[in-house]
C-alpha cells in the first residue's frame, strides 16, 4: 500500500479540516461578541425578546461561543472542539424548539428563520466534526486513484474524447505524438515496430532516458508498454480505449507504474510522487483531449506554455506577452 | 496598446501592455471599437471571485474589427476587416459540451481546468478577462484582443447596426434572455426579476418578448426601477415595501409563477440579522455568497414555479432554503450564459426592433476613463446603468 502518497493526501485533507475548524472558530468568535455586546438586539431579531429567561440565556450562549472560538482557534485537536460546537448547537436547537412551541405571529416567523440558520450551522459543524474524527482514524487510507507499494507507484487517470476509438488509438500508437501533450516527456523516437526511445525532464529534476517496448496491443482497444534495459526509472503503462455510451466518443483509461530507484534520483522521484502526480496525469489527458478534439494545446495569456503543466501555478498576469517573453518561451 | 487592468482589490488601472499576438492557429486579433463594464466585473474587481492577478487585463463584453487571423481559420469563417461581436465564453466547438450547445461549459477552452475543477467539481470554459479560474485570458477592455477559436465564436455583423445596438450580444442581452428562456414562460405567467441592473432589464424585456402577462422589477434604486417602468414593467422597491407581501398582493396570493435572480453573490438586501450572518460568514471565508435574492426568490415563487438564476455565484452559500425548494415542487435552473446559442436569433430580434438594447446605456466614455467608469457604476452614481467604453 502506498505510504508516502496516502500520507501526503491525508495531510492535505487534515489541513482542510483544520482550516475549516479555524473558520468556524472565527464565526464563533463573531457570534459570541455580538451576543455579549448587543444581547437586546439579538433577542429582538431572533424573536425571543418577550421572555425573561432569554435575558439570561443570550449572554450565556455568547460566552459559550467565545469558549468554542478559543478552542477552535488555538487547539490542534479541532475535531474535538468541533464536536463541542455540535453539542452547543443541539442545545440551541432544543431551546429554539421550546421557544417555537410557545410563540406565534411575527415572533414565530423570526424564530423559524433563526432556527433554520442554526440548523444550517449545525450541519456544517457536524460535517467538520465527522471529517476531523474520520481523519484522525483513517489518515492512512490510500488514495482512490493510485497507490504506492514498496518501491513502485501506480497512477490512473481517465477522460472521454469525442472521437472514434480507432482515431484516438492511432494517435497514441504513434508514440512520437506523446510529447505534444505529456508534460514531462521531451521526445519519443520510434526505433522499431514495437520499440522506442524516450527522453524526459520533469518531474524527475534531471533528464532521464530509456528504451521501451510495446508488450501487448489490440488495435483500437489497448496498448501495453514497459521500459527495457537499464532504465533509471523503470516504468510500464497501459492505455485502454472503450467506446462511450453516446456512440460517438471514446473513454480513455491510463495506468502508469513507476519503480522508484535508490539514490538521489530515487529521492527526487519519491518527492515527486509525494506531491501532485495525479494532477499531472489528469492534465496530460486534458491536453490529449484538446489535441484530439481541437487540433492543438490551448494557450492563454496567463498560462501560455501549453503542456508545461507545472507552470499552471504560479501563473503570469493575463495580459499579452511581449516579443522577448514569447521568444524566451516556457523558461522565461 | 492601452488596456484596463486589475491592480489589486477595488482598483483598476489603465496601463501600457504588449499587443496581443496569435498563439494558437485558430486565433484572431480584434481591434476593439466598443467594450462595456459588466456587473460581474465588479465581483472580480472587489476580489470575491478568487485567482485574480495584478496586471490581468479585464473585460468580457467587446466588439470590433478583425485585423489578423491565424492559419487555422478558414476564409469562409472569418476574414481581416470583418466586424464582429465576441461572446464572453470561449468555446472550442468540438467537445461534448459544445456539441450540446453548453458553450460556457466547454471542456477544452480553459487551460487552467485543473484549478476550476477543484473549485467547481468539473471544469468550466475559458472566459475573457475573468480570473485565472476561467483560463487567464486577457480581456477586452483594451485596444486589441486575442480571440481563440475565432472560427466558431465571433458573430459577424453585416448590417449597418451601430455598435451600441449589437455590443450587448456579447454577454448581457443573451444572459438576460437565457434567464427568461429557462423559465418556460406561458402567456398567463407573472415573472418577477430580482435586480434591475443591465442583465435584469434584459431579462425583463425577454420575459415580455416570450409572452409573460406581467413582469415585476425588484430593486432599491429608484432610477433603475424607473427605467424598468418606462419599459412597461412593474416596479417594487424593496427598501420601501416587504417584497414577499407585495408580490403576493400583485399575484392574488399565488406568488410569481417564475422568478429570475439577476443579482448574484453580492445582494444587499434581506433582514438585518440574516445580512449580518452572511457578512460574518463571508468575512471568515466560510461562505462566498450573500444569497438574499436567491433565498427570497425561492420563498416567494409560487408552488411548482421556476427559479432561474443568472446572477453570478462563485463558491458556497449558506442557509439555502432546500425545504421550500423540495416541498413546493420548485424547479431551479441556472448557468453562465451559452451566448453562442443566442447571438443570431437575438440579432434578428434587434434588426426587427423587438428589443432595443441601447435603452440601458447611460454613460459612454473613453477607455482612459475606465477607472471613473467603474467607480460610478459600482457606486450607482449619476444614475449609472451601463457604461460603454471606446478604446
Ligand atoms: Zn458579464
Ligand atoms: Zn468545447
Amino acid at each position: 500500500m502506498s505510504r508516502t502518497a496516502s500520507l501526503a493526501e491525508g495531510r492535505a485533507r487534515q489541513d482542510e479540516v483544520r482550516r475549516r475548524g479555524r473558520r468556524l472558530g472565527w464565526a464563533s468568535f463573531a457570534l459570541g461578541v455580538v451576543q455579549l455586546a448587543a444581547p437586546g438586539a439579538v433577542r429582538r431579531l431572533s424573536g425571543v425578546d418577550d421572555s425573561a429567561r432569554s435575558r439570561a440565556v443570550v449572554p450565556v450562549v455568547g460566552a459559550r461561543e467565545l469558549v468554542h472560538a478559543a478552542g477552535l482557534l488555538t487547539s490542534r485537536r479541532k475535531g474535538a472542539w468541533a464536536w463541542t460546537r455540535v453539542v452547543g448547537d443541539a442545545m440551541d436547537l432544543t431551546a429554539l424548539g421550546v421557544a417555537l412551541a410557545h410563540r406565534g405571529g411575527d415572533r414565530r416567523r423570526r424564530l423559524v428563520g433563526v432556527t433554520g440558520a442554526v440548523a444550517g450551522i449545525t450541519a456544517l459543524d457536524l460535517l467538520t466534526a465527522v471529517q476531523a474524527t474520520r481523519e484522525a482514524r483513517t489518515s492512512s487510507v490510500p488514495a482512490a486513484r493510485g497507490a504506492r507499494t514498496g518501491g513502485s507507484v501506480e497512477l490512473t487517470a481517465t477522460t472521454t474524447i469525442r472521437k472514434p476509438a480507432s482515431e484516438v488509438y492511432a494517435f497514441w500508437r504513434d508514440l512520437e505524438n506523446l510529447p505534444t501533450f505529456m508534460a514531462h516527456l521531451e521526445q519519443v523516437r520510434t526505433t522499431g515496430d514495437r520499440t522506442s526511445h524516450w527522453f524526459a525532464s520533469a518531474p524527475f529534476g534531471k533528464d532521464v532516458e530509456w528504451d521501451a517496448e510495446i508488450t501487448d496491443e489490440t488495435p483500437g482497444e489497448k496498448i501495453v508498454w514497459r521500459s527495457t534495459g537499464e532504465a533509471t526509472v523503470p516504468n510500464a503503462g497501459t492505455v485502454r480505449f472503450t467506446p462511450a455510451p453516446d456512440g460517438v466518443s471514446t473513454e480513455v483509461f491510463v495506468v502508469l507504474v513507476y519503480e522508484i530507484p535508490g539514490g538521489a534520483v530515487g529521492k527526487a522521484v519519491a518527492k515527486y510522487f509525494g506531491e501532485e502526480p495525479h494532477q499531472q496525469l489528469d492534465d496530460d489527458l486534458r491536453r490529449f483531449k484538446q489535441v484530439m478534439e481541437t487540433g492543438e494545446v490551448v494557450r492563454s495569456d496567463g498560462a501560455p506554455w501549453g503542456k508545461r503543466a507545472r507552470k499552471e501555478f504560479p501563473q503570469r498576469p493575463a495580459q499579452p506577452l511581449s516579443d522577448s517573453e514569447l521568444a524566451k518561451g516556457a523558461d522565461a | 496598446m492601452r488596456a484596463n487592468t486589475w491592480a489589486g482589490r477595488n482598483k483598476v488601472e489603465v496601463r501600457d501592455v504588449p499587443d496581443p499576438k496569435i498563439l494558437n492557429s485558430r486565433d484572431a486579433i480584434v481591434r476593439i471599437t466598443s467594450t462595456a463594464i459588466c456587473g460581474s466585473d465588479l465581483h472580480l474587481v472587489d476580489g470575491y471571485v478568487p485567482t485574480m492577478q495584478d496586471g490581468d487585463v479585464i473585460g468580457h463584453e467587446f466588439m470590433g474589427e478583425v485585423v489578423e487571423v491565424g492559419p487555422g481559420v478558414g476564409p469562409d469563417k472569418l476574414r481581416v476587416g470583418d466586424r464582429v461581436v465576441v461572446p464572453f465564453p470561449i468555446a472550442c466547438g468540438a467537445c461534448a459540451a459544445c456539441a450540446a450547445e453548453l458553450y460556457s461549459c466547454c471542456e477544452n477552452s480553459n487551460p487552467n481546468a485543473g484549478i476550476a475543477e477543484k473549485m467547481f467539481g468539473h471544469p468550466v470554459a475559458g472566459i475573457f478577462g475573468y480570473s485565472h479560474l476561467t483560463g487567464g485570458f486577457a480581456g477586452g477592455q483594451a485596444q486589441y484582443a486575442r480571440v481563440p477559436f475565432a472560427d466558431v465564436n465571433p458573430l459577424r455583423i453585416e448590417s449597418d447596426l451601430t455598435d451600441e445596438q449589437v455590443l450587448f450580444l456579447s454577454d448581457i442581452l443573451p444572459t438576460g434572455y437565457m434567464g427568461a428562456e429557462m423559465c418556460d414562460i406561458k402567456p398567463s405567467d407573472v415573472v418577477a426579476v430580482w435586480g434591475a441592473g443591465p442583465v435584469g432589464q434584459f431579462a425583463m424585456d425577454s420575459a415580455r418578448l416570450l409572452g409573460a402577462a406581467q413582469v415585476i422589477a425588484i430593486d432599491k434604486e429608484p432610477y433603475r426601477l424607473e427605467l424598468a417602468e418606462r419599459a412597461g414593467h412593474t416596479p417594487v422597491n424593496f427598501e420601501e415595501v416587504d417584497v414577499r407581501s407585495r408580490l403576493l398582493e400583485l399575484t392574488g396570493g399565488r406568488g410569481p409563477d417564475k422568478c429570475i435572480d439577476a443579482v448574484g453573490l453580492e445582494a444587499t438586501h434581506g433582514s438585518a440579522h440574516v445580512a449580518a450572518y452572511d457578512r460574518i460568514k463571508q468575512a471568515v471565508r466560510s461562505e462566498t455568497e450573500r444569497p438574499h435574492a436567491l433565498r427570497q426568490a425561492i420563498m416567494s415563487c409560487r408552488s411548482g414555479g421556476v427559479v432561474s438564476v443568472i446572477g453570478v455565484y462563485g463558491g458556497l452559500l449558506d442557509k439555502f432554503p432546500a425545504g421550500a425548494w423540495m416541498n413546493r415542487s420548485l424547479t431551479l435552473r441556472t448557468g453562465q450564459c451559452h451566448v453562442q446559442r443566442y447571438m443570431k436569433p437575438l440579432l434578428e430580434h434587434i434588426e426587427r426592433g423587438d428589443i432595443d438594447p441601447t435603452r440601458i446605456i447611460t454613460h459612454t466614455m473613453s477607455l482612459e476613463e475606465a477607472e471613473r467608469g467603474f467607480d460610478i457604476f459600482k457606486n450607482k452614481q449619476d444614475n449609472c446603468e451601463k457604461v460603454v467604453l471606446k478604446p
Side-chain angles (χ1 to χ4, degrees), chain B residues 114-329:
Chain B
I115 307 172
E117 193 174 56
K118 284 197 184 72
M119 193 81 177
F120 298 142
H122 288 279
V124 293
I127 299 179
F128 293 100
Y130 207 90
S131 87
H132 290 254
L133 191 66
T134 52
F137 288 94
Q141 287 171 14
Q143 289 179 296
Y144 295 89
R146 163 186 170 246
V147 177
F149 302 118
D151 50 341
V152 298
N153 287 308
L155 173 75
R156 252 190 301 202
I157 304 292
E158 274 143 330
S159 54
D160 52 5
L161 293 169
T162 62
D163 276 17
E164 283 69 14
Q165 284 174 293
V166 294
L167 171 61
F168 303 140
L169 286 169
S170 169
D171 174 0
I172 53 171
L173 178 54
T175 298
Y177 186 86
M178 186 168 118
E181 194 200 55
M182 289 191 293
C183 289
D184 288 330
I185 291 171
K186 299 189 176 39
S188 59
D189 279 350
V190 177
V191 179
V193 179
W194 273 257
V199 169
Q201 299 282 348
F202 286 149
M204 296 171 212
D205 293 355
S206 303
R208 179 57 58 74
L209 189 69
L210 290 167
Q214 188 187 4
V215 178
I216 301 167
I218 303 160
D219 205 295
K220 68 174 169 133
E221 297 297 333
Y223 75 90
R224 290 182 155 189
L225 291 169
E226 269 162 38
L227 192 63
E229 200 172 6
R230 275 203 298 277
H233 313 306
T234 311
V236 170
N237 188 325
F238 67 76
E239 283 197 330
E240 287 165 6
V241 294
D242 177 70
V243 172
R244 189 169 165 278
S245 313
R246 181 74 184 125
L247 289 175
L248 293 183
E249 210 174 277
L250 285 166
T251 56
R254 301 185 306 274
D257 302 281
K258 309 290 160 65
C259 296
I260 300 175
D261 169 5
V263 176
L265 65 89
E266 289 187 77
T268 49
H269 56 108
S271 66
H273 68 291
V274 177
Y277 172 84
D278 282 325
R279 281 277 191 172
I280 290 169
K281 295 215 68 169
Q282 215 175 28
V284 300
R285 292 281 184 268
S286 68
E287 170 180 57
T288 15
E289 334 290 359
R290 298 200 300 267
H292 307 317
L294 180 58
R295 289 188 193 122
Q296 202 171 56
I298 290 174
M299 296 308 278
S300 307
C301 192
R302 77 141 158 92
S303 293
V306 177
V307 176
S308 158
V309 183
I310 47 177
V312 171
Y313 290 90
L316 302 170
L317 63 79
D318 213 351
K319 292 199 278 87
F320 174 80
W325 175 44
M326 185 271 159
N327 287 287
R328 294 199 296 108
S329 299

Side-chain angles (χ1 to χ4, degrees), chain B residues 36-41 60-61 88 127 130 170-172 175 199 312 336 386:
Chain B
I37 300 174
C38 176
S40 45
D41 287 333
H60 56 272
E61 294 176 348
F88 78 84
I127 299 179
Y130 207 90
S170 169
D171 174 0
I172 53 171
T175 298
V199 169
V312 171
Q336 281 279 15
K386 187 72 178 176

